[in-house]
């Protein structure tokens, strides 16, 4: 018996030594089998082979950086372009065209209450399908899922060009919400398969911040609404020109976006092993197996951290869900024309982008999320307080406050979502957890536009309510950071009390977040 054990040890040692290049197990596989149909799952044998190669691959820091740069060049541009395309028709366009009289007449929007209902109804389909959408993404792969999302989204947006009547607008807003379901949380989940926890916030800020599409959308609206033909008017051009790229981007995603590192064609076998190995040393993401969707949901519902993340997101999303829709209206109410108001949305979004990027970069560099979230909520809260108190007194102060609100609100998305993704494990729980946060929080967003009911008072009550919500987000972030910090200290004491044999045990599988070895990012 002892001889057999020694023989196995020798064989494993030879295998490890032989597979330093990280391509042995992948080389044993044949050609990739064709999927039976569009919704067929990916072949898990390729994921297993890459993970086995990742266990023994030997690489330098320079090689790791080279692989990461290669991922940045292929994955990030596709994600950035898809987000820019999808953000236009959802929030930016609908806010810009509301200040155009012809749009309101076409869809029968005579009162502010009708407008806020049209905004709110968007979130109905979004909330119902967010978590099922993330489960579908894991099953069929990211490229196919996002193709469906973007195509459905683009077609719904395109329909706004030709539809008429208030009922039609409500139906199309619901359909757009269905198209968006799973996109944002799904992208966070997707990026976690490519980047370490300390790299995630910066990538999310580059890929998925509303400031960049907001600035571009303002510029396009400023130019396009002036166009008039016998067939289409200005606001119709805006939806037409921005819906078509969304549909085209859907096909680009289908053809060129790899679902996981193991299924990528732009990485060589050794590079796949390195890409997987560097993540396995950080948080061991698993593309297959683990918890089922229902098990992941139960784990999330039982986790108080998930509820605190949801409270943080839901509270600041009140601001995001309103400022993105109402920014042109708020600027117009300061005394500017409809066209000038659209052009003046560019500056707050452009300046806000620097805060989004700076906060995310510094957060990754310091490996801190909580203090950065609190800073952004404080900045946004101050902006809303200025709006609530000075909007009737000073145009300059009110316009400056919009810079604080945009920068503070939009910088929170990459911070909070990367913080959540950093602290959910296993991977299946991460996917359900991020979807849970976005889904439940957007249920709050159904009511968010309704707080801007006092148009006759320049929305001062709405600004005050938003300030209160952002302050609640600040408090929830403080509580969560304190809790996670205390949990890390408790886990450290538990590990110190373990024997040397227990400490020496290597985790062969993904560590769950309730394991003492798991280190929360605070």
């Amino acid at each position: 018996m002892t001889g057999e054990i020694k023989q196995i040890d020798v064989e494993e040692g030879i295998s490890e030594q032989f597979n330093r290049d990280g391509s042995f197990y992948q080389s044993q596989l044949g050609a990739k089998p064709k999927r039976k149909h569009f919704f067929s799952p990916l072949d898990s044998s390729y994921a297993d082979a890459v993970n086995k190669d990742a266990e023994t691959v030997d690489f330098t820091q320079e090689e790791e950086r080279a692989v990461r740069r290669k991922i940045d060049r292929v994955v990030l541009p596709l994600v950035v372009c898809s987000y820019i395309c999808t953000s236009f028709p959802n929030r930016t366009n609908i806010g810009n065209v509301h200040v155009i009289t012809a749009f309101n007449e076409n869809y029968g929007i005579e009162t502010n209450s009708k407008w806020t209902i049209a905004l709110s109804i968007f979130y109905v389909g979004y909330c119902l399908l967010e978590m099922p959408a993330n489960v579908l993404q894991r099953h069929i792969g990211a490229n196919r899922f996002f193709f469906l999302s973007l195509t459905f989204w683009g077609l719904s947006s395109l329909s706004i060009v030709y539809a008429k009547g208030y009922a039609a607008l409500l139906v199309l807003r619901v359909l757009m919400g269905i198209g968006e379901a799973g996109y944002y949380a799904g992208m966070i989940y997707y990026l976690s398969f490519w980047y370490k926890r300390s790299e995630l916030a910066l990538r999310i800020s580059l890929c998925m911040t509303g400031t960049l599409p907001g600035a571009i959308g303002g510029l396009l609206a400023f130019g396009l609404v002036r166009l008039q033909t016998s067939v289409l008017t200005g606001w119709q051009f805006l939806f037409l020109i921005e819906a078509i790229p969304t549909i085209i981007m859907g096909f680009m995603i289908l053809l060129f976006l790899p679902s996981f590192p193991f299924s990528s064609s732009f990485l060589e076998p050794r590079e796949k092993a390195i890409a997987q190995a560097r993540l396995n040393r950080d948080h061991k993401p698993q593309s297959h197996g683990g918890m089922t969707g229902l098990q992941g949901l139960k784990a999330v519902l039982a986790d108080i951290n998930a509820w605190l993340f949801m409270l943080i997101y839901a509270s600041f999303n009140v601001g995001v869900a309103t400022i993105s829709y109402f920014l042109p209206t708020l600027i117009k109410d300061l005394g500017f024309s409809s066209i000038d108001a659209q052009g003046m949305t560019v500056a707050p979004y452009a300046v806000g982008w620097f805060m989004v990027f700076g906060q995310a970069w510094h957060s990754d560099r310091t490996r801190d999320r909580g203090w950065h979230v609190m800073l952004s909520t404080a900045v946004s809260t101050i902006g809303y307080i200025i709006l609530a108190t000075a909007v009737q007194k000073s145009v300059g102060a009110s316009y400056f406050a919009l810079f604080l609100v945009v920068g503070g609100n939009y910088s929170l998305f990459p911070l909070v979502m990367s913080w959540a993704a950093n602290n959910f494990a296993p991977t299946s729980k991460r996917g359900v957890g991020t979807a849970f946060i976005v889904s439940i929080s957007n249920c709050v967003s159904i009511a968010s536009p309704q707080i801007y009911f006092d148009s006759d008072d320049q929305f001062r009550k709405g600004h005050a309510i938003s300030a209160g919500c952002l302050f609640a987000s600040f408090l929830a972030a403080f509580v969560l950071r304190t809790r996670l910090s205390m949990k890390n200290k408790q886990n450290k004491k538990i590990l110190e009390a373990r024997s040397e044999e227990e400490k020496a045990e290597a985790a062969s599988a993904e560590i769950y977040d309730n394991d003492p070895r798991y280190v929360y990012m605070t």
Side-chain angles (χ1 to χ4, degrees), residues 115-169:
W115 169 238
T116 55
I117 290 173
L119 299 179
S120 295
I121 202 169
F122 166 84
Y123 294 99
V124 173
Y126 196 122
C127 296
L128 292 176
L129 297 177
E130 180 73 37
M131 283 184 278
N134 256 26
V135 175
L136 177 62
Q137 177 192 336
R138 192 167 189 245
H139 179 74
I140 67 174
N143 62 336
R144 298 189 177 202
F145 172 78
F146 292 127
F147 162 74
L148 294 174
S149 178
L150 267 64
T151 303
F152 192 89
W153 204 341
L155 291 174
S156 300
S157 176
L158 189 61
S159 300
I160 292 181
V161 176
Y162 303 103
K164 289 185 178 181
Y166 187 64
L169 179 63

Side-chain angles (χ1 to χ4, degrees), residues 374-419:
M374 284 181 263
L375 174 61
S376 290
T377 53
V379 169
S380 187
T381 300
I382 292 171
Y384 278 119
I385 291 174
I386 295 174
L387 285 172
T389 56
V391 70
Q392 293 178 325
K393 302 175 183 178
S394 172
V395 172
S398 299
Y399 188 57
F400 169 74
L402 292 175
F403 285 74
L404 300 180
V405 168
V406 171
N409 280 343
Y410 281 101
S411 63
L412 282 165
F413 182 81
L415 292 173
V416 174
M417 292 309 295
S418 62
W419 195 12

Side-chain angles (χ1 to χ4, degrees), residues 52-353:
K52 287 181 180 179
D53 284 333
E55 292 176 4
T56 55
V57 65
D58 191 14
F59 58 94
T60 64
Q61 288 187 346
E62 181 55 39
E63 286 181 299
E64 179 184 348
R65 286 192 289 268
V67 169
R68 187 182 63 198
R69 286 194 297 268
K70 201 169 185 180
I71 293 170
D72 286 342
R73 289 196 299 267
V74 175
V75 173
L76 288 188
L78 288 168
V79 176
V80 170
C81 291
S82 69
Y83 183 79
I84 290 174
C85 289
T86 53
S87 288
F88 285 144
N90 170 17
R91 294 181 175 88
T92 308
N93 273 2
I94 201 73
N96 284 324
V97 296
H98 179 53
V99 298
I100 305 298
T101 302
F103 171 81
N104 295 322
E105 290 176 348
N106 184 78
Y107 283 109
I109 304 174
E110 300 98 359
T111 62
N112 187 63
S113 61
K114 274 193 168 185
W115 169 238
T116 55
I117 290 173
L119 299 179
S120 295
I121 202 169
F122 166 84
Y123 294 99
V124 173
Y126 196 122
C127 296
L128 292 176
L129 297 177
E130 180 73 37
M131 283 184 278
N134 256 26
V135 175
L136 177 62
Q137 177 192 336
R138 192 167 189 245
H139 179 74
I140 67 174
N143 62 336
R144 298 189 177 202
F145 172 78
F146 292 127
F147 162 74
L148 294 174
S149 178
L150 267 64
T151 303
F152 192 89
W153 204 341
L155 291 174
S156 300
S157 176
L158 189 61
S159 300
I160 292 181
V161 176
Y162 303 103
K164 289 185 178 181
Y166 187 64
L169 179 63
L170 296 182
V171 171
L172 289 174
R173 291 288 293 167
V174 172
L175 293 177
M176 290 178 71
I178 293 173
E180 184 176 328
Y183 178 85
Y184 294 109
M187 275 299 182
I188 305 301
Y189 177 61
Y190 172 72
L191 291 173
S192 72
F193 282 98
W194 295 93
Y195 295 104
K196 293 180 179 180
R197 295 194 294 172
S198 60
E199 300 167 348
L200 200 54
L202 179 61
R203 268 69 184 185
I204 295 174
S205 73
L206 292 172
C207 296
M208 305 183 66
T209 174
T211 51
L212 180 60
I216 296 173
L219 285 172
L220 286 176
F222 183 71
L224 291 176
V225 295
R226 303 168 186 267
L227 298 177
Q228 298 289 334
T229 69
S230 59
V231 180
L232 298 175
T233 189
W235 68 266
Q236 291 173 310
F237 277 108
L238 188 61
F239 279 98
L240 178 67
I241 292 177
E242 293 176 354
I244 293 175
T246 302
I247 298 172
I248 295 173
M249 197 64 222
F251 285 93
M252 295 287 288
I253 289 288
L254 178 64
L255 296 174
F256 301 111
L257 185 72
S259 290
F260 300 101
F262 76 84
S263 63
S264 61
S265 59
F266 72 95
L267 293 176
E268 299 296 329
R270 173 174 170 77
E271 292 173 327
K272 292 179 185 179
I274 293 174
Q276 190 65 50
R278 73 188 206 94
L279 294 188
N280 286 351
R281 298 173 186 181
D282 184 61
H283 62 274
K284 293 182 179 293
Q286 293 181 337
S287 58
H288 296 81
M291 292 180 174
T292 63
L294 182 58
Q295 290 172 331
L297 178 60
K298 289 180 179 178
V300 168
L301 294 177
D303 188 350
I304 190 172
N305 295 335
W307 291 98
L308 285 170
F309 278 122
M310 186 275 294
L311 179 59
I312 296 169
Y313 191 105
S315 299
F316 88 75
N317 202 42
V318 170
V320 174
T322 51
I323 198 65
S324 55
Y325 291 132
F326 282 90
L327 185 58
T329 301
L330 296 176
I331 295 176
K332 180 184 176 184
D333 287 352
L334 293 177
F336 300 96
S337 67
S338 297
I339 294 179
D340 287 343
Q342 291 166 339
M344 291 179 70
T345 62
V346 176
Y349 280 125
V351 173
W353 183 87

